[in-house]
Amino acid sequence: MQKEATVKQIRSLEDAVERCQLLGMRVSRQRRFILELLWQAQEHLSAREIYDRLNQQGKGIGHTSVYQNLEALSSQGIIECVERSDGRLYGNISDSHSHVNCLDTNQILDVEIQLPESLLREVEERTGVRITEYSINFFGYRQVQE
Ligand SMILES: [Zn+2]
């Protein structure tokens, strides 16, 4: 089965809100706060960090509400959910993209990487699988290692 090509990619907060509405999800105040934070922060945050930041901004929102909204948004593919050994992190981009994992800070940075066609063809030839999308995990340090 081909993936539905007519579904618009989510490229902004407005796109994310629009997708919620398209799926018939209610965009409650709390849900909007979470989406706004993820699009402002441009990083991958844990549920705990999202809760802390929203409450620091004076946007009172309960723990349970944060967890439930993150679950609903990620299960619908509106936000990204990264499974890590120390828990889940959430990000604003739901399309396939690559990550740079910083081993100093434990941060995950999003990067758009375009692999050369010849490399994709090689992978296809080796495996017999037609590649339609990919996501690469890079690992490294910010500081130069002595
Ligand atoms: Zn990401």
Side-chain angles (χ1 to χ4, degrees):
M1 285 291 276
Q2 283 278 303
K3 223 173 142 186
E4 195 62 64
T6 51
V7 176
K8 200 173 125 194
Q9 293 194 331
I10 297 173
R11 287 280 175 251
S12 67
L13 172 62
E14 290 69 38
D15 289 348
V17 170
E18 198 180 293
R19 178 72 63 86
C20 287
Q21 288 161 344
L22 213 71
L23 292 168
M25 290 173 78
R26 207 166 68 85
V27 187
S28 60
R29 254 159 48 90
Q30 286 89 344
R31 196 160 279 173
R32 184 178 273 275
F33 288 160
I34 291 173
L35 287 172
E36 277 171 2
L37 178 71
L38 286 174
W39 279 94
Q40 277 162 15
Q42 299 282 341
E43 51 179 314
H44 301 74
L45 301 171
S46 67
R48 174 84 221 180
E49 288 169 315
I50 292 168
Y51 169 83
D52 286 344
R53 290 198 192 190
L54 287 176
N55 282 279
Q56 273 160 23
Q57 292 174 9
K59 289 167 180 160
I61 176 169
H63 260 128
T64 316
S65 178
V66 170
Y67 282 92
Q68 285 172 348
N69 277 298
L70 288 171
E71 179 55 37
L73 291 166
S74 61
S75 69
Q76 294 294 331
I78 296 164
I79 60 171
E80 181 193 11
C81 177
V82 188
E83 299 276 357
R84 281 215 309 205
S85 54
D86 55 350
R88 289 177 177 169
L89 293 180
Y90 298 90
N92 61 351
I93 299 179
S94 54
D95 308 328
S96 58
H97 59 277
S98 295
H99 283 152
V100 176
N101 296 269
C102 176
L103 299 172
D104 294 316
T105 60
N106 249 340
Q107 272 181 311
I108 302 177
L109 311 172
D110 285 333
V111 277
E112 288 294 334
I113 291 290
Q114 202 74 35
L115 291 179
E117 279 296 309
S118 58
L119 184 57
L120 295 174
R121 293 296 87 79
E122 193 189 321
V123 173
E124 290 180 339
E125 272 162 35
R126 280 204 220 168
T127 60
V129 176
R130 196 175 69 83
I131 306 301
T132 53
E133 54 183 333
Y134 50 85
S135 140
I136 307 166
N137 260 309
F138 298 94
F139 297 88
Y141 300 93
R142 279 185 193 276
Q143 289 131 36
V144 177
Q145 297 295 292
E146 296 293 317

